[in-house]
Amino acid sequence: MDMISDGFINDIIPALTIPPPPTVAKPEGAIQGKPLARTQVLGNQDVLREIFSHLASNSDDPANLKNKGVLFRAALTCKAFMEPALDSLWWSMSSFMPLLKLLQNFQPIEDGDNIFAFCNSFSVEDWARFDYHAKRVREFYYHTVQTQKINMCTLFHLGQCRSAVFPNLQRVTWTASLSPSIILLASSTLKYLDVKTNESGDNAIIMTLISVLSHRAQFLTDATFRGVLSKSCLALVPKISPLVTLIVPDLGASISMTFLRGLGAMGRLQNLRIDLQNPAITPIMLPGRIGFPELRTLHISGQFDMIHKFITGIVSDQMVSISVSSKQTIKPSSSKATPTKKGSASQRPTLLEHDSQEPPDILDLLGFIGNCWHHLARLDVDLPNMSPKYPDTTSFTLFQPLQHCHALTSISINGFMRPPSSDQDIVDIGCSWPAVQNLSIPFSPLPKGSSTDTSITRLQHTPTILGLRLLAQLCPHLTTLQLSLDTSGLPNATGEPLAHGLQVLSVGDSQVKDVYLVATHLDCLFPRLKTIHATDPVAPNGWGMVEKILRFLEIVLPSPAQPDKAYVIS
């Protein structure tokens, strides 16, 4: 059949002999006039597309080539298989070559190595066959430089004949060296774009691509730009108005005020990941209200004072996830933190006073977040080199501004504060966020000059396993937990299991006094516990041994669902 050329077959399909179909006898139980199940399946194109879609892949490994061979042979099997099998066969591409080789006059140049070009004009039948398969391509992945290349004049001619080579393309991922051919992927149906530039010379190509997409791509909702981009190139990104998700990591040096102003004015943007590590922009240059009326999730990194000013300039009242990361070293402020007054989204406090006074502190930022976004579900803070204004205050006291955020399901804290100092702090945390699923609070730091196994001061400021039981009762949905533990002075594990769903426990360098007693307590509290992360898991009589005992108890003791599982260990 002439729908697939020999060039395409030679590229991806091994030469195989198709055996004749076996003769199938009519089932004895077939009812006259009622269609067989086989007939119903063959007549349902949606079922066939679902089956063949499991053979579609975007990789270039041998297994993928084998699957393409299966799809090709399935398309030749029968009329019912042809359309759904061809849809899956052409679903994802990693090169233009298989499609262009369907054109009979697309041939290698005589004086060039692996360079192809159009040799003559094409007939209507050639373009009809080209369009017949091009319309099936939905994803394009370009991860490695192709050995066979297309002549630049040919690309220009192809762009004149077809403004978008794949008219129904939805996803483009281009991480190898950029080529002008990426412009041919600017389809009006594009939804996802992930582009990485490897050198400054690629900016002209990216600027052209963004300009085309800003006028043509009406459904482009997700875009990621990585690598090396100029300020003028990045400033064009906000012109892609349909964007809902934008990721621009490690591009802090390319950020300009033009880009930030355009970003804040984007009316549909809901998810943003941005790096503000740019010494050319200072917090005083940012306006009091940057914008982002529809923003819901934010992942931000860079200098803390820039992060602080950026977050307090967000006008959206729908924030559900905030992730903050900064390696900046800031000493504690000499003055006390001024609590933020409660207000609506239209009466939010701005912190312009920090531009001329002392640097902002984490207390101010948490106060702003807790005051403005009560429906916040996720908060990740990574400030390893930052100290709060009250270094002697526990984590719960510092997080009091977030007590009204009862919807928090994930809390991860790294640095800047003292951990919970008692079981009461653990209880307070559990009462404040009963829906939490992932809780990560900093490990208790060792006092200077103390060893890891003789730190009496540290044990006086560490929650116990008994406090852990209270936390498990208050937070029934907890699945991952990180905190320091004091395992000394434990009583025998008695009573029925709590049947809690905790699966991952991180304890840092917390010490184990009695491995078997600790293991039985943990098994009683968390019978579904799968992993324990510790600083030194292979230490003798340490957490590694506790985990081995837990695996043993799973075998010798009844299931947690059985009521007769109890502990009386002496």
Side-chain angles (χ1 to χ4, degrees):
M1 56 192 303
D2 62 349
M3 290 182 298
I4 300 182
S5 68
D6 294 337
F8 175 81
I9 299 174
N10 294 334
D11 279 346
I12 64 173
I13 308 297
L16 296 173
T17 302
I18 304 176
T23 304
V24 180
K26 184 177 179 180
E28 296 180 358
I31 302 176
Q32 185 69 23
K34 184 177 181 180
L36 299 175
R38 181 185 62 187
T39 305
Q40 293 176 333
V41 171
L42 293 178
N44 192 323
Q45 294 289 293
D46 293 334
V47 173
L48 294 176
R49 282 190 173 87
E50 178 66 24
I51 294 173
F52 291 132
S53 66
H54 292 278
L55 296 175
S57 175
N58 61 355
S59 62
D60 296 325
D61 56 16
N64 178 41
L65 297 179
K66 181 179 179 181
N67 289 341
K68 284 185 177 293
V70 174
L71 290 171
F72 174 68
R73 293 192 298 274
L76 300 178
T77 301
C78 64
K79 185 177 180 180
F81 283 3
M82 186 178 69
E83 288 296 327
L86 288 177
D87 287 343
S88 296
L89 177 65
W90 291 97
W91 183 271
S92 63
M93 301 290 293
S94 58
S95 172
F96 293 96
M97 300 302 291
L99 188 62
L100 291 176
K101 286 182 179 181
L102 294 177
L103 302 172
Q104 295 181 0
N105 291 325
F106 183 72
Q107 302 293 334
I109 303 176
E110 294 182 0
D111 56 351
D113 292 332
N114 291 325
I115 299 179
F116 287 72
F118 293 152
C119 298
N120 295 300
S121 60
F122 299 98
S123 63
V124 176
E125 291 76 11
D126 283 338
W127 283 117
R129 183 169 57 176
F130 180 91
D131 295 335
Y132 178 74
H133 296 291
K135 67 181 181 180
R136 305 176 190 275
V137 180
R138 297 295 190 274
E139 300 175 354
F140 192 93
Y141 298 86
Y142 192 83
H143 299 301
T144 57
V145 178
Q146 304 293 327
T147 56
Q148 295 180 338
K149 299 181 180 180
I150 306 174
N151 181 269
M152 291 298 297
C153 295
T154 300
L155 288 176
F156 179 74
H157 180 63
L158 183 62
Q160 289 182 319
C161 297
R162 296 292 183 273
S163 58
V165 177
F166 309 126
N168 296 319
L169 191 66
Q170 297 181 0
R171 179 186 294 271
V172 172
T173 301
W174 194 298
T175 57
S177 298
L178 273 182
S179 165
S181 58
I182 193 175
I183 309 300
L184 300 176
L185 302 177
S187 171
S188 60
T189 58
L190 196 63
K191 296 181 180 180
Y192 308 95
L193 176 67
D194 187 347
V195 179
K196 180 181 179 181
T197 57
N198 299 306
E199 52 189 34
S200 58
D202 295 337
N203 282 282
I205 300 176
I206 291 294
M207 292 179 70
T208 305
L209 176 64
I210 294 176
S211 299
V212 173
L213 291 175
S214 62
H215 293 89
R216 183 183 299 172
Q218 303 176 1
F219 306 100
L220 183 57
T221 58
D222 293 62
T224 301
F225 295 93
R226 315 172 192 267
V228 182
L229 265 70
S230 64
K231 291 184 179 180
S232 57
C233 183
L234 192 61
L236 294 177
V237 172
K239 292 185 177 181
I240 309 177
S241 56
L243 282 180
V244 175
T245 300
L246 177 62
I247 301 176
V248 284
D250 304 323
L251 291 175
S254 302
I255 290 178
S256 62
M257 288 304 303
T258 303
F259 170 72
L260 291 178
R261 282 192 291 266
L263 206 60
M266 297 182 70
R268 300 182 184 180
L269 192 64
Q270 297 182 10
N271 312 299
L272 175 64
R273 180 176 180 179
I274 188 172
D275 173 31
L276 295 180
Q277 192 71 30
N278 187 351
I281 299 179
T282 60
I284 198 172
M285 299 172 63
L286 296 179
R289 297 184 183 275
I290 303 176
F292 304 103
E294 299 295 329
L295 197 64
R296 297 175 60 86
T297 66
L298 174 66
H299 188 290
I300 186 170
S301 59
Q303 295 292 103
F304 179 75
D305 49 358
M306 281 289 295
I307 293 175
H308 182 274
K309 188 64 177 293
F310 189 92
I311 292 180
T312 54
I314 297 175
V315 301
S316 171
D317 58 354
Q318 306 176 48
M319 294 295 296
V320 295
S321 176
I322 298 178
S323 178
V324 175
S325 176
S326 176
K327 307 302 180 183
Q328 182 182 7
T329 301
I330 299 181
K331 296 180 180 180
S333 175
S334 57
S335 63
K336 293 185 178 181
T338 303
T340 307
K341 295 181 181 181
K342 292 185 178 181
S344 62
S346 60
Q347 299 177 337
R348 294 178 179 181
T350 57
L351 303 171
L352 299 178
E353 63 273 10
H354 289 300
D355 297 335
S356 57
Q357 300 180 8
E358 61 187 38
D361 191 86
I362 186 63
L363 292 175
D364 303 318
L365 181 59
L366 294 180
F368 181 89
I369 293 174
N371 179 61
C372 297
W373 299 306
H374 292 175
H375 299 290
L376 194 69
R378 181 185 181 92
L379 178 64
D380 297 328
V381 180
D382 183 15
L383 304 174
N385 300 322
M386 183 152 190
S387 301
K389 292 182 178 180
Y390 303 109
D392 295 331
T393 308
T394 64
S395 57
F396 175 73
T397 305
L398 287 174
F399 270 70
Q400 282 183 342
L402 300 175
Q403 278 188 286
H404 300 290
C405 302
H406 296 297
L408 277 170
T409 59
S410 179
I411 309 172
S412 177
I413 311 300
N414 179 28
F416 82 73
M417 66 174 58
R418 262 183 53 194
S421 61
S422 65
D423 291 343
Q424 183 59 45
D425 284 340
I426 291 292
V427 173
D428 293 337
I429 290 175
C431 292
S432 299
W433 303 299
V436 68
Q437 299 176 9
N438 306 293
L439 178 61
S440 177
I441 50 183
F443 296 120
S444 177
L446 287 171
K448 294 182 178 181
S450 63
S451 61
T452 58
D453 55 351
T454 60
S455 177
I456 304 301
T457 304
R458 173 177 175 175
L459 293 179
Q460 294 174 350
H461 299 280
T462 306
T464 66
I465 288 186
L466 298 181
L468 199 60
R469 170 179 280 272
L470 299 176
L471 178 65
Q473 292 173 340
L474 293 170
C475 304
H477 306 292
L478 199 62
T479 57
T480 62
L481 175 63
Q482 171 186 303
L483 81 167
S484 298
L485 284 175
D486 175 14
T487 63
S488 62
L490 280 178
N492 293 333
T494 59
E496 295 183 358
L498 191 60
H500 195 276
L502 187 74
Q503 298 182 9
V504 180
L505 175 64
S506 300
V507 293
D509 57 0
S510 302
Q511 300 302 299
V512 181
K513 300 302 179 181
D514 188 325
V515 292
Y516 191 76
L517 194 57
V518 171
T520 52
H521 271 277
L522 291 179
D523 188 56
C524 183
L525 294 177
F526 312 117
R528 297 178 180 86
L529 187 63
K530 296 180 179 179
T531 307
I532 299 178
H533 295 296
T535 304
D536 188 7
V538 297
N541 295 326
W543 289 100
M545 182 60 68
V546 171
E547 191 169 2
K548 290 181 180 179
I549 296 175
L550 287 176
R551 302 289 81 82
F552 174 76
L553 293 176
E554 289 179 356
I555 301 174
V556 301
L557 291 178
S559 169
Q562 297 180 6
D564 57 342
K565 181 175 180 179
Y567 295 88
V568 180
I569 302 172
S570 58

